Amino acid sequence: MNTHHHHNEHDAMSGSDELEQLLKLAASQPAYRPAFFRQLLDATVYILGDSEQVQLQGEITLDAETPVNIQHWEKQDGSSVVPFFSSLALLQQAVAEEEHPFIAMPTRVLFEITQGDHLFLNPKAEYSKEFFPDEVAMLLATGGVVKPVERDIEQETQLLLGQPTEYPAAMIDALTTLFSQRKLVRRAFLALIHDREVDEQPNLLIGLDVKGEQADIDALISEAGMVASETAPNDDPVDFCLVEENARGVSHYLVNHTQPFYQRRWGSWLRNAIPSTDVSSSV
């Protein structure tokens, strides 16, 4: 029997297993949707179909220019979808062991060559997901998250800050789950903010104490915005701001007058920082 030593936990789970796990979680929990989309866009997927070039040369690298015959399936309502699969096992299960040519290709390439089509990930599996053309276009453009609208609050503006009377528990749970997947967030705070100049109603505000590269922070805020908009009570708008320790205004209120709803566990940080010593004695 061959044994493999895994240096970190991630290797132990293959990419397709991890993708299927994220699809299952994302089905019921918006907090996992950004990670699912990220993983999907980096994955290799399997489609039913063939390409003359593949038959000629065996293994080839497909790009959006390669002519490929992709099999479509008809749904019960008569519409047509392109089935694609996160693993060969699920493909074989879906075609019930019949012989079928298939092609492995990066998800991005599949999305590019089928633009305008409906796609269906893992049909017939326990967890599957349909992708509509505009969703695919957005995934290709932004990785599946809508870019937040930024606005600067003028110094003179009278902002009213407080706490929401109705605690947005589902949203806070989902954001906590998202933040715990990402190392960037040190603490996260919740408030209700009312900028009378701009809005009739107060908005929920999430303050983030983050450390990291600007691009990673921007991506995180987009993901958090997507999760928040899917879980906020009554579809309320949600604002995000970055908290600075000694700043005035909003940051001061959040840091000094509210408790963080999320605090990164120091334990996990320390564990990574201490070099592990190998205690097994060599014979």
Side-chain angles (χ1 to χ4, degrees), residues 167-185:
Y167 190 71
M171 181 182 91
I172 293 303
D173 284 354
L175 286 171
T176 299
T177 304
L178 177 71
F179 297 154
S180 63
Q181 299 169 33
R182 315 296 300 276
K183 294 279 188 285
L184 290 169
V185 182

Side-chain angles (χ1 to χ4, degrees), residues 189 245 247 251-259:
F189 303 88
E245 193 62 58
S251 284
H252 177 85
Y253 168 79
L254 291 172
V255 171
N256 295 294
H257 299 282
T258 73
Q259 288 292 320

Side-chain angles (χ1 to χ4, degrees), residues 64 89 187 204 237 272:
R187 291 176 299 172
L204 291 167
N272 297 340

Side-chain angles (χ1 to χ4, degrees), residues 73 89-100 124:
W73 282 359
L90 286 172
L91 178 144
Q92 284 158 344
Q93 185 187 316
V95 297
E97 302 304 324
E98 286 175 39
E99 281 297 305
H100 260 289
K124 302 192 183 180

